[in-house]
Amino acid sequence: MGIFSRLGGGGSRERRNATRDHFQDFVATRKGVEAYLEPAGAREPLALILVARDGEWTRRQVPSPKEAANLATELGLPFYEIIRTGYPQRMREWSRKNKNK
């Protein structure tokens, strides 16, 4: 079963392809990228966050933890759960430095 192959809140095929393409571009243009599963919250849906070595990051909604893990594997990235690891310090630092950009 391919990435995002099941429905379940993930959106249209175009949206799924756009997410994959965005992540592939991010990985291809940055170094030391890792994947982090961000749990759904009151205001935010379940998401996969990619964080580069310098702390730059990007977030996209994913339909399930399993699909997020599959996408990280497909991209060749280490996969972590924020609920277990917390947000990477380099991500927080990058966000603070780039707050007004």
Side-chain angles (χ1 to χ4, degrees):
M1 189 175 294
I3 188 69
F4 298 121
S5 59
R6 289 179 286 140
L7 237 49
S12 70
R13 179 179 298 239
E14 293 80 20
R15 183 175 179 178
R16 291 173 180 174
N17 289 339
T19 295
R20 183 184 304 110
D21 292 347
H22 173 75
F23 281 157
Q24 286 173 333
D25 181 61
F26 189 86
V27 169
T29 57
R30 281 131 184 115
K31 296 182 190 243
V33 179
E34 297 174 329
Y36 290 84
L37 179 66
E38 183 179 53
R43 297 181 185 167
E44 297 291 331
L46 181 71
L48 187 63
I49 300 174
L50 301 190
V51 183
R53 183 179 300 144
D54 68 354
E56 184 179 1
W57 59 275
T58 187
R59 173 192 288 123
R60 292 292 185 270
Q61 181 178 347
V62 292
S64 71
K66 182 178 179 181
E67 296 292 346
N70 289 345
L71 180 54
T73 299
E74 181 181 311
L75 295 170
L77 303 176
F79 178 73
Y80 306 99
E81 295 180 42
I82 286 175
I83 199 158
R84 295 176 190 228
T85 64
Y87 290 92
Q89 182 64 33
R90 67 187 185 280
M91 178 183 169
R92 289 189 293 249
E93 290 171 1
W94 187 90
S95 293
R96 188 175 58 249
K97 289 177 188 175
N98 293 280
K99 188 176 185 178
N100 297 320
K101 290 186 179 182

